[in-house]
């Protein structure tokens, strides 16, 4: 084949690769911003609830406001925004296959000494005819979280969690553990 016939293809690929890299970087940055908005909003409401009514009020914030915040950000962006974990409190947040694999990798990296706050992953995935940009960022377990997610829960907290989440698995964490992850799906 004449090498001059391949020149247009080579030029097209050379132009397309940087454009795709720029688009990917923009998706990562936008995902990080959305997750920061989610995390900041939720953390602010949890801290206020802890000050006003302690862990019992914080449980209500997590149960009611966290899904609302995720829904608001999803509506604003047109993406699917949420939280997931390997140890679920709310079964509606169950990880899909891709999320489960990422969470397992986050746990392995954390066990190898990588701080949970540094763990994130993004990938363009194909699911049948659909292509999606996927992004996850680990949720590190902070001291504030241990009131409801730690190993030693007070009686009132334990009873409230049993009542609201009969199949709760989201306890037994220590500070710094990967408690779960924020997750974003952007359809392409």
């Amino acid at each position: 084949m004449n090498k001059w016939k391949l020149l247009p293809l080579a030029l097209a690929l050379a132009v397309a690769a940087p454009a795709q890299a720029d688009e990917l970087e923009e998706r990562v940055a936008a995902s990080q911003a959305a997750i920061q908005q989610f995390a900041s909003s939720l953390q602010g409401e949890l801290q206020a609830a802890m000050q006003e009514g302690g862990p019992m009020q914080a449980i209500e914030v997590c149960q009611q406001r966290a899904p609302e915040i995720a829904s608001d950000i999803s509506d604003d962006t047109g993406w699917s925004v949420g939280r997931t974990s390997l140890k679920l409190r709310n079964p509606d947040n169950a990880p899909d296959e891709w999320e489960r694999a990422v969470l397992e990798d986050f746990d392995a990296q954390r066990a190898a000494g990588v701080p949970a706050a540094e763990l994130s992953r993004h990938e363009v995935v194909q699911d049948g005819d659909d292509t999606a940009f996927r992004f996850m960022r680990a949720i590190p377990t902070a001291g504030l979280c241990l009131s409801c997610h730690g190993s030693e829960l007070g009686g009132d907290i334990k009873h409230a969690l049993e009542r609201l989440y009969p199949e709760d698995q989201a306890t037994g964490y220590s500070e710094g553990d990967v408690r779960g992850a924020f997750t974003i799906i952007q359809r392409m």
Side-chain angles (χ1 to χ4, degrees):
M1 177 178 250
N2 183 336
K3 64 182 174 183
W4 295 110
K5 289 182 180 181
L6 293 178
L7 185 59
L9 177 60
L11 288 173
L13 290 174
V15 170
Q20 288 174 341
D22 288 346
E23 179 188 352
L24 193 59
E25 287 178 25
E26 289 173 12
R27 287 181 183 275
V28 168
S31 295
Q32 290 172 331
I35 286 172
Q36 186 59 43
Q37 179 185 355
F38 190 173
S40 295
S41 296
L42 183 57
Q43 185 176 27
E45 291 195 31
L46 284 171
Q47 287 173 340
M50 287 291 283
Q51 289 175 352
E52 289 176 26
M56 297 298 288
Q57 195 164 339
I59 292 170
E60 291 178 25
V61 167
C62 265
Q63 182 193 31
Q64 296 170 9
R65 285 293 297 143
E68 291 171 0
I69 294 168
S71 179
D72 290 346
I73 296 170
S74 295
D75 290 345
D76 289 346
T77 61
W79 309 331
S80 173
V81 178
R83 297 176 304 161
T84 190
S85 180
L86 294 175
K87 291 171 56 175
L88 294 171
R89 175 151 289 163
N90 182 344
D92 292 340
N93 296 337
D96 63 23
E97 189 176 316
W98 186 84
E99 291 167 333
R100 177 172 296 284
V102 172
L103 287 165
E104 289 170 351
D105 181 61
F106 283 175
D107 279 347
Q109 288 186 61
R110 177 68 189 113
V114 178
E118 295 178 11
L119 298 172
S120 67
R121 165 92 47 85
H122 67 274
E123 184 177 350
V124 175
V125 297
Q126 191 72 33
D127 184 15
D129 292 337
D130 292 333
T131 303
F133 172 82
R134 305 290 305 264
F135 185 90
M136 286 179 68
R137 186 177 91 192
I139 300 172
T141 305
L144 176 70
C145 307
L146 297 177
S147 298
C148 301
H149 292 281
S151 296
E152 298 179 26
L153 305 180
D156 289 345
I157 295 167
K158 189 173 183 177
H159 293 304
L161 291 173
E162 288 171 351
R163 180 176 46 81
L164 295 170
Y165 303 103
E167 298 177 32
D168 182 28
Q169 302 169 356
T171 59
Y173 289 101
S174 298
E175 193 166 352
D177 286 348
V178 174
R179 197 174 82 254
F182 293 103
T183 183
I184 290 180
I185 302 172
Q186 298 179 27
R187 300 282 174 214
M188 300 176 75

